[in-house]
Amino acid sequence: MEEGGGRRWARVCAFFVKNYRKKWALDLAGIAGFDRVRTKFIQELRHKEFLTVKLLNLTNFSLEALLLFCLLHGGSLLNHISVASFHVVMADHALMVADTSHAIVDHSLVIGQEFPDVETCRRTLKDIAIALHFDLRIVKSDRSRFIAKCSKEGCPWRVHVAKCPGVPTFSIRTLNGKHTCEGVRNLHHQQASVGWVARSVEARIRDNPQYKPKEILQDIRDQHGVAVSYMQAWRGKERSMAALHGTFEEGYRLLPAYCEQIRKNNPGSVASVFATGQENCFQRLFFSYRASIYGFITACRPLLELDKAELKGKYLGTLLCAAAVDADDALFPLAIAIVDVESDENWMWFMSELRKLLGVNTENMPRLTILSERQRGIVDAVETHFPSAFHGFCLRYVSENFRDTFKNTKLVNIFWNAVYALTTVEFESKIAEMIEISQEVIQWFQLFPPQLWAVAYFEGVRYGHFTLGVTEMLYNWALECHELPIVQMMEHIRNQLATWFNDRREMGMRWTSILVPSAEKRISEAIADAHCYQVLRANEVEFEIVSTERTNIVDIRSRVCSCRRWQLYGLPCAHAAAALISCGQNAHLFAEPCFTVGSYRETYSQMIHPIPDKSVWNELGEGADGGAAKLDILIRPPKIRRPPGRPKKKVLRVENLKRPKRVVQCGRCHLLGHSQKKCTMPI
C-alpha cells in the first residue's frame, strides 16, 4: 500500500475508534441489487463491535464504511460492489450520507414527541429497537403511562411516555437516548414478534396474497437484518390476511348479507346460500349475475361446460361452474357454486339451480350440448334436469384414459384420427386399424362409447369445442383465492368477470367486420381452399362439389354439406364456400348468428355492477329469497377443515388436441419409433 493510502486508512480507523467509544451512531446504506451481500456486510461489522447499525434500507454505502470493511477483510468485497460517487458530510459529530434521491427513515426520539395512543407508542419504540438493534424492556404500560428501557444491565437508555391531560394523545416526558451497551450481536431479536411481522408485510400481502412465508422471512432478513422463524412468518401472514380481508369465520357469517348485495346492486341476478344442521354450518352457495344470464340466453351458442376444482383453504370445499363460449371462442362463466364437498347430491342441486335459472329467464329452453368428464353424479344430474340435452365427454379426459390404458404411440395417433373423422365410414376404418393392433380396444369402447365423444357419432353440436376450457379457469381461481375468506373469493371472481365484460365490450366495439376475428380467419381459410374445387350446380340451392378425393353435395338453403363440417362447426366449409362463391353469395353471411360481431356485442352489453363496502351491509334484516338462508341466521363454517401439512399441487396437463403426433417409421426395417439414421438392425 502506498504511503498516502496508509495514512488515509489510519485516519479512517482513528475516526471509527474515537466515535465508537463515544457510541455515536453510523448511518449505513444498502447496496442496490445486492441484498444478501449487504446483510453479510452488516453482520460482519456488527460482530467486530465497531459501530451501531441505524439503517439498512438505503442505496449506497458511505465511503468510510466501505474503507473500514475492506481494512478488516482484505478488500475482497470491492470486487462485488460498485460505489456511486457521493460525498460525506460531518454534522454534530455524526457521519451522514448525502443522498437526496432516497428518503431516510428517522428513528430519533425527542422530548415532547406525541403519539396518538399508547399502542402507537409501543409499536414505534419496538420499530426503533429493531432498527437500532437493541433489546427493549417495558417497565410500565397502562392507560396513562408507558416506561421502557434498554434490557442490558447498566445501559442508561430510557424513555418515559405519559398521557396528555384532556386529550387521548401521549407524549415523551423524559428521555435518555444514549447507549453504552453493545446491542444485539446476533440476528434474532425479541421485539420481532408475530405482530411486528404482520405489520411489516401488510403492504406486500395487500398486493400479493400469494406472498409465501419463505419469502417473508428472507425479505425481513434482507431489509431489517433480523431472522424470524418459518412459523413466525406464517403466523404473521395469517394475522395480516385477517386484518386486510377478515377471518374465514367472518366470511361465512357475511354470506347472507353479501348475497343480498348481489341481488340488490345487480337486479335479476341469482345469489343464495344454504346451511345445514342445528349449528347452521355452511353447505352450498350459488350465484349467477344478470349480465351473464342475459348474454348466454341472447347471444351465446347453446353449449355448456361443467367442471369443478378443489379448494385448498382453511375449510376446503369445491368450486362448481357452468360456463359457455362466446362468439370469439372465449370462456363465458354462467353460474358458479361453492359446496362443502363434491357429491352426487350437490351436483344434483347445482343442476337444479341452473335449470331454474334458465327456465325463469327464457320461454323456450334451448336444446343444450353439455360437455363434462361424465362422472356418475354429473350424468344423473344432467339426465334429471336436462333430459333433452346432448351430454358428451371432454376429449382431454377420454384421450388421457386411452393413452394411459394402452401406452402405444401408434395406437394413440390412430385414435386421434378416429376422433376427428367426420363420417362414420372413415371412423369405422380407423377403428378396424386399432383392433388389428390390439383386441383390448373393443373392451375400452364399451366403457367409452363413441356416441359420447367421436365427431362422427356425437349427436350434439360442439362448434369445434372438444375439451373443457373451464378447467384451467377454475384451477386458477382456486389457486389465487385459497388464502382468502369465502366472501373475498366471491369478490375476486366478480372483479374478474367485471373486467372481462368491460374489456371485451370495448374490444367488440372496435371491430368493423361481419364476423368475429376467429370466425373470419376460418372463413378466409375455407375461401382460399375453395378455389381448387369444381362446382356443378344442380338447382338454385343444391351444388355438387368435385375434387380429386371425393364429391360432396352442398345445400345452401339448409346450410348442409355432405362432409358434415358445416353442420358441426357452424361455419361454411371449403365445399360450401365454393358453392356460395359460384352463385355470387357472401360466405360470411352464411355463418351461424352466434359468430357475428353483433352477437358478440350483445353478449357483453350488460354490466356487472360493484358491491359496496361491507360497512354498509345489513347483516341483520329481512330474509333472503329463493329458500336461502335468512339474514338473521348466523352461518358457521363447515365441519371439514384442511388437514395438517402442505397440500398437494395438482399439475394441469393440457395436450395439443388439434392434430395427432407424427409417428416416425424407419425406411430400412419399416419399424415404428425410430428413423433410418438411428436404426440398429444389421444391414
Side-chain angles (χ1 to χ4, degrees), residues 115-125:
F115 305 95
D117 50 50
V118 69
E119 183 62 28
T120 303
C121 173
R122 185 183 294 110
R123 291 179 178 179
T124 302
L125 292 176

Side-chain angles (χ1 to χ4, degrees), residues 13 16-21 23 26 28 39-53 65-76 181-186:
C13 292
F16 275 98
V17 171
K18 177 181 177 181
N19 285 278
Y20 170 71
R21 290 172 182 168
K23 295 303 296 180
L26 173 67
L28 281 180
T39 304
K40 181 179 179 182
F41 174 59
I42 298 301
Q43 294 170 8
E44 292 292 341
L45 288 177
R46 192 185 306 148
H47 288 192
K48 293 296 179 182
E49 299 184 18
F50 267 84
L51 47 90
T52 300
V53 178
L66 279 174
L67 292 175
L68 175 62
F69 182 79
C70 295
L71 174 66
L72 297 175
H73 298 274
S76 60
C181 65
E182 60 187 12
V184 180
R185 298 182 58 186
N186 53 53

